[in-house]
């Protein structure tokens, strides 16, 4: 009986974990018990104990994670021992004092997993490497792989793998759709929400090693001692997980905080103020990562306010950081309010001439596309064109233009599409990925940043399947050669179900989701048909405080046709690319259809490569896109038996919303464009069930205060 | 063995519930297993089954709650049977077809619990009454009371017991400190967060029967069909729990939504618009509760925009509601931007002359005090002075002026202080409670409203102990004769611990918390020393867009003394009260010290009843108030063994913040007032550790964008 009570206490938590509804809090680190007893036994034989060769907090974190993970997966409490001694069948965590040849090939954050005297040894060049190895081993077990196919070695391809949180000091999140900010500023530094540690665990598990905790539209509050202490408390929680904290800075802080009369980056007092402030920060956060800056963009202050360049501004901050390990990340997201200019060209025109002028501590962070995270954009022409300046890429994980938290859009294909684009700057094969990972131009400071989709919602991301986007970003920042499919598959197995048929369906759903979204939202290279809050369709929008903040600026619909002429007859933005691209895209007949209206004003009756006219092709895409959401719902319904009921119902309801909204988008576009094209909806599609006026009326709801 | 496995499956959830950290989500409905086996057995004998006499959703909800509660408390799954038949030892839920004498004495929502043929019978005049009885029985068990002392009967003293949510359409909560809004507008109506039902359960358990889901600064969006469908989906979830939904309405909606040229309440088209809109609402929500209106207040539109009165506006809405069961709740929170006037007097002056002019469907909702939810206010002089108009009271549960979510302030004493105040309008004993519960003036539509402190934080209220304020509001709305202590005690037992010594300490801490807060924040009748966001001290604030939005308007510190003269030599606001009060409070020597500076400009060296000068008394209060937070921390430390570790740590950290901020408040006030009083800090207190300039500097942090 005693033994049975022991069993009872031991098993109950895991039994329960599988019977309670899953609220999504645990993300992909679920560690539910493996149902296959044989597999459990096999794993068990190699997990008799855990030991480590130092008491470094990061090794402790790795051991704790393994202990927790194995307790869940195997239903066994695995002891953490001081020393392995002569024991075998355990897991040894060690920073290698004498790294072997394989480990030597890995970088600072790399690891090797090997079998040695019947122990599984995770060795790293640093403690963080060991931690990454531990998560890799857990992922191996979570995804049900065999132990004789142990992951052998790993090393990140990019140095700075970061989340950018657009979190405001008042707790709101700009473009956040999953609740409030994770950071409780009024509670810090005294109270540490247990969630902070779980945030760090989740990030470390996918290799993210940096976090910018505040919005790029930065509050100067974060540079006050009071707030720096709060940030330092977060940094203390994140540190064992290999995550460094960065801050977005308000460029005018020397004036507003420091009481100076200027924030001119060449002014000695201003430079001294930043040097002093930086020293203060490092006093509180010894491993502070550095500054992220949005300057002279959308109303933010910057060096141009004083007739200085972006390089002047960035280099001033680099000088302040000189005594320390930190970097300056300077965003290239800039464009002036000039309706006659082409916003597409702005960032290139401002930044490319500055190549070679930046301090080595500066990384320029470039959005994946030339405009602003649209559902489909060509890659930014800046990539490849600043060989002397480390260029990081900025992706947006949060679904600002992708249906908030009610549309399913798996983003790995978006990230991959950019990374695999060929810039041709050093001939064929000069992909954006090779620019970003430094291999093309020899950058040492390489960077991939993702604007986070996390918030205070219990499941972190609002839409349960949007967790896959956070996951995919991290995995690609670690290794951009991973396929969208492989990432989706491992995520689904860890997060949703181990049923292989269901996993197959879910992966298929994820992989198709982005194209479906683009079809009903912005096909053939349309972009930016949004209301102010980027939720509802408003392609007819033609008034705004800035000309480039209207919808008509982007699609340029008229009685002749549709699209923005960016060839030599138009803005000539195409000339910012290498000739191989310019030539291929310059002709509407050879320009890839997804980018067609990005570069061409195409007549409504122009025949496309699909053998349909532009108008007909648009209708086909809008209608089949919206209809595909029904297919998504059907596919999701089929996985019901394999999915936790609460998660299933949650996703099912969101797909229902998505279907309603997809039709809304289709109706808005089709009815509006029809006023220019003056043609009927082609067979076999039926007329929208609403009039244009009714759609406009429904959109006006979202503009009421 | 089989039997043991059965046991294992049966016990594991409850075993676990007590070993996992408590995140506070379950509120006071925790149902953790009763540790005392004898008590469990005794309870068990009377809980062999549950049955009910109809399948009404509310009876089903009551049965489900009992089943869940008993499963937790007793560790037994209790069957819900179709019929009791000849069985005994069960719980019978029934709407009485032949109510006995005791039940007849209860009102519509009342219930009687009795023993009949060895069954426990919960009978109600309505299904909701039965539900309240079920929650009463559960509370009885949760608080460990004996079964032979069953709660016998219950009936609410107030008809409308409501939460007012100041939740905005964008998900933010005005004056919310516990995350975002609970309502996910972008997900509704398709997706129903499981939390909505738990919200309804929690409210029903304390007798709350109405909820205004949107901010009184109302968005017109809520009156669109799209949003009404979302609201209807919430109403469907709440309905089985006896909770009706209300909406705050935007008075200018006929113009902004309806496209009319006016929103004049006497205009026939406007009246028709509201009649049509109301009909539309009842089509979607048959038990819709009615409208809450903030009009001609702080910039909101209202009938005065058209030269009409509040009564004209309210009566127009009452006319629209005439075919239905709903009511109009019209707020008396009004004051004009007139620096020469006394804001104290404004609401009385605008509303009392309208007594007798309101439609019977209208309830005027009056804040507890004359200004705005200050830490300590005298009761509003409106109470008692509108005998022909049902007056509801509005309390603020969210801690706008009570330290947000980082200060512990148990509010039952605040609510009680107002309710027990004697208006003297019908002689001694004419308390505000008797005005509000209708017994004084024969109101039928009685109302108690609380501005909610709930949000999307996992534990609902941010500060774990702030759950007690939601609880206390509900209990007092049900029965205002309950003592603050009794409520605190039952809440603590249900929520935190059953250890009687720990409960005693916690109750003591709760009961003292408000006086402590007032001492360091606004002693002796000071008020409104706030920054714009009502977080940081700013008693020196003397510039604002409105004179009555400065701090100096309220405290009137000068070289002579401190306080607002509201006697006949000043604004004469005191004359709004009955002579018994005016006479008692008119003389600084007899005016209760807590209200002293509300009514008198007192010289710094005036001796008070405490035998100290005003200056010395202020210092004593500021210093002992701030020091008392140390005592609070010590007391909390003592209950550690009896409290869930996560909850313990959470509260401990918040008390640490409170201590830091209490000193900050003390320093701000003392240093600022010292510039007028020009006297040293009296013995034995030591000088603040900061200068006034340093305090001001620290406050400026909170004004940076």
């Amino acid at each position: 009986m005693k033994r049975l009570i022991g069993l009872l206490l031991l098993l109950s938590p895991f039994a329960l974990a599988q019977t309670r509804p899953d609220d999504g809090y645990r993300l992909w680190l679920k560690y539910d018990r493996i149902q296959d007893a044989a597999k459990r036994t096999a794993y068990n034989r190699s997990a008799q104990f855990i030991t480590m060769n130092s008491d470094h907090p990061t090794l402790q974190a790795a051991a704790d994670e393994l202990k927790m993970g194995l307790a869940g997966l195997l239903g066994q409490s695995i002891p953490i021992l001081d020393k392995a001694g002569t024991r075998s069948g355990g897991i040894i965590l060690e920073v290698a004092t004498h790294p072997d040849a394989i480990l030597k090939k890995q970088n600072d954050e790399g690891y090797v997993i090997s079998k040695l005297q019947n122990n599984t040894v995770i060795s790293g060049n640093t403690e963080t490497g060991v931690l990454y190895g531990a998560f890799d081993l857990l992922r191996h077990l979570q995804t049900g792989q065999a132990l004789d196919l142990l992951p052998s070695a790993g090393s990140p391809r990019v140095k700075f793998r970061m989340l950018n949180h657009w979190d405001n000091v008042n707790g709101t999140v700009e473009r956040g759709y999953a609740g409030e900010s994770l950071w409780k500023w009024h509670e810090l530094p005294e109270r540490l929400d247990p969630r902070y540690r779980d945030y760090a665990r989740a990030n470390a598990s996918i290799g993210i090693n940096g976090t910018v905790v505040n919005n790029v539209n930065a509050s100067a509050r974060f540079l006050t001692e009071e707030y720096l202490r709060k940030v330092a408390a977060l940094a203390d929680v994140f540190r064992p997980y290999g995550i460094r904290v960065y801050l977005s800075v308000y460029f005018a802080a020397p004036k507003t905080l420091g009481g100076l009369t200027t924030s001119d980056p060449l002014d000695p007092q201003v430079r001294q103020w930043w040097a002093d402030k930086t020293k203060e920060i490092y006093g509180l956060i010894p491993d502070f990562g550095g500054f992220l800056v949005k300057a002279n963009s959308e109303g933010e202050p910057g060096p141009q306010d004083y007739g200085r360049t972006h390089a002047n501004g960035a280099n001033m901050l680099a000088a302040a950081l000189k005594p320390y390990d930190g970097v300056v990340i300077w965003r290239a997201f800039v464009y002036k309010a000039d309706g006659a200019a082409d916003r597409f060209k702005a960032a290139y025109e401002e930044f490319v001439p500055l190549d070679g002028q930046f301090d080595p501590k500066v990384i320029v962070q470039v959005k994946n596309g030339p405009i602003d995270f649209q559902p489909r954009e060509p890659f930014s022409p800046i990539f490849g064109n600043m060989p002397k300046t480390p260029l990081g890429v900025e992706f947006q994980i949060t679904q600002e233009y992708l249906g908030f938290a009610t549309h399913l859009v798996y983003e790995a294909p978006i990230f991959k599409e950019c990374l695999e684009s060929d810039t041709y700057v050093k001939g064929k094969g000069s992909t954006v990925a090779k620019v970003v990972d430094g291999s093309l131009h020899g950058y040492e400071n390489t960077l991939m940043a993702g604007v986070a989709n996390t918030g205070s919602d219990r499941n972190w991301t609002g839409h349960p399947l949007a967790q896959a986007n956070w996951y995919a970003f991290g995995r690609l920042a670690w290794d951009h050669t991973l396929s969208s499919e492989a990432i989706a598959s491992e995520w689904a197995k860890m997060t949703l179900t181990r049923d292989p048929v269901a996993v197959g369906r879910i992966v298929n759903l994820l992989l198709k989701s982005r194209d479906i979204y683009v079809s009903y939202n912005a096909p053939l290279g349309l972009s930016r048909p949004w209301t102010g809050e980027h939720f509802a369709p408003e392609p007819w929008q033609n008034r705004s405080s800035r000309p480039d903040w209207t919808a008509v600026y982007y699609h340029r619909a008229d009685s002749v046709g549709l699209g923005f002429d960016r060839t030599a007859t138009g803005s000539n933005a195409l000339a910012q690319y290498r000739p191989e691209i310019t030539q291929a895209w310059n002709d509407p007949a050879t320009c890839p259809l997804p980018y067609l209206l990005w570069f061409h004003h195409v007549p409504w009756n122009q025949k496309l490569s699909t053998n349909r006219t532009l108008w007909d092709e648009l209708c086909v895409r809008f209608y089949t896109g919206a209809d595909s959401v029904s297919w998504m719902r059907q596919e999701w319904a089929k996985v019901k038996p394999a999915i936790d009921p609460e998660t299933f119902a949650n996703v099912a309801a969101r797909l229902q919303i998505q279907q309603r909204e997809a039709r809304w988008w289709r109706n808005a576009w089709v009815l509006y464009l029809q006023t220019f094209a003056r043609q009927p909806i082609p067979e076999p599609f039926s007329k929208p069930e609403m009039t244009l006026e009714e759609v406009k009326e429904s959109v006006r709801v979202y503009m009421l205060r």
Side-chain angles (χ1 to χ4, degrees), chain A residues 70-138:
Chain A
L70 294 169
L73 293 164
L74 309 182
Q76 295 270 7
S77 178
I78 314 293
I80 300 180
L81 304 179
D82 273 353
K83 278 182 187 171
T86 56
R87 286 187 195 78
S88 69
I91 300 169
I92 298 176
L93 307 176
E94 56 165 42
V95 175
T97 41
H98 305 288
D100 66 11
I102 308 176
L103 188 55
K104 275 183 181 155
K105 275 197 277 184
Q106 315 304 322
N107 58 28
D108 271 3
E109 294 172 297
Y111 59 87
V112 169
I113 304 178
S114 48
K115 274 281 178 195
L116 213 72
Q117 294 162 338
N118 204 29
N119 284 318
T120 303
V121 182
I122 305 177
S123 51
N125 289 315
T126 62
E127 286 81 5
T128 311
V130 178
L131 178 69
Y132 292 144
F135 276 114
D136 196 0
L137 181 64
L138 282 166

Side-chain angles (χ1 to χ4, degrees), chain A residues 268-570:
Chain A
Q269 279 190 293
V270 171
R271 298 175 73 86
Q272 189 59 47
W273 188 87
W274 282 110
D276 293 344
K277 184 51 74 180
T278 305
K279 187 177 175 191
E280 182 189 348
I281 295 173
Y282 277 89
L284 293 165
I285 311 169
D287 60 346
F288 179 68
F291 301 125
L292 173 65
V293 191
K294 173 177 181 178
N296 293 121
S297 171
E298 297 181 332
E300 293 299 303
Q304 295 175 346
D305 302 347
Y306 305 96
R308 314 300 184 188
T309 69
H310 287 292
N312 295 144
N315 295 348
M316 169 193 67
L317 293 174
L321 284 164
K322 201 170 178 66
Y324 315 101
D325 191 25
V327 293
V328 179
I329 303 170
W330 195 271
R331 292 174 91 231
F333 177 66
V334 298
Y335 58 107
K336 302 273 183 272
D338 178 357
D342 181 359
R343 177 174 167 185
F344 186 115
K345 295 160 71 178
Y348 180 105
E349 286 172 346
E350 282 202 47
F351 274 84
V352 170
L354 297 175
D355 190 32
Q357 297 181 29
F358 287 97
D359 184 282
K361 267 181 170 297
V362 178
I363 305 171
V364 171
Q365 181 168 303
V366 183
K367 287 189 182 185
N368 59 304
I371 302 284
D372 186 16
F373 300 136
Q374 294 307 293
R376 180 162 254 143
E377 292 200 35
F379 69 94
S380 165
I382 295 179
F383 291 113
N385 285 312
M386 295 183 70
K388 298 178 198 148
T389 312
L391 297 180
V393 64
E394 177 178 318
F395 292 120
Q396 190 178 44
I397 312 173
T398 187
Q399 295 177 228
E400 175 178 0
Y401 297 102
L402 297 171
F404 289 14
T406 50
H407 293 232
L408 167 59
V409 181
Y410 175 56
E411 295 167 342
I414 306 183
F415 307 154
K416 294 283 289 183
E417 188 169 280
C418 170
L419 292 166
E420 291 175 354
S421 292
D422 199 336
T423 68
Y424 290 95
V425 290
K426 288 190 170 183
K428 197 166 159 50
S430 306
T431 59
V432 171
K434 288 186 185 167
V435 175
V436 169
D437 73 12
S439 57
L440 200 69
H441 297 130
Y443 304 153
E444 197 192 316
N445 282 341
T446 56
L447 163 71
M448 209 181 281
V451 181
N453 65 347
T454 50
S456 63
D457 273 4
R458 182 66 181 165
N459 74 357
W460 303 83
T461 59
H463 199 308
L465 304 188
Q467 294 181 353
N469 292 330
W470 179 9
Y471 185 86
F473 168 77
R475 296 288 284 144
L476 286 172
W478 179 274
D479 181 0
H480 56 70
T481 70
L482 293 171
S483 74
S484 297
E485 182 173 358
I487 295 170
S489 176
E490 65 185 31
W491 174 80
K493 285 178 198 161
M494 293 163 80
T495 311
L496 293 177
T497 177
R498 290 173 187 143
D499 175 321
V501 178
V503 168
R505 273 192 213 287
I506 292 164
V507 169
N508 186 36
L509 200 54
L510 292 174
L511 290 175
K512 297 208 163 113
S513 62
R514 188 274 190 116
D515 281 341
I516 292 170
Y517 183 84
V518 167
S519 294
Y520 63 73
N521 184 282
L524 297 177
L526 287 169
S527 68
R528 239 184 155 286
W530 305 96
T531 55
E533 64 175 11
H534 301 173
F535 172 70
E538 206 188 3
W540 48 82
Q541 185 219 10
N542 56 11
R543 261 174 295 185
S544 172
S545 59
R546 288 178 61 150
D548 48 358
W549 287 353
T550 65
V552 299
Y553 173 93
Y554 293 91
H555 62 66
R556 312 224 159 180
D558 58 24
S559 60
V560 177
L562 182 67
F564 198 132
D565 181 5
R566 291 190 166 105
T567 67
T569 59

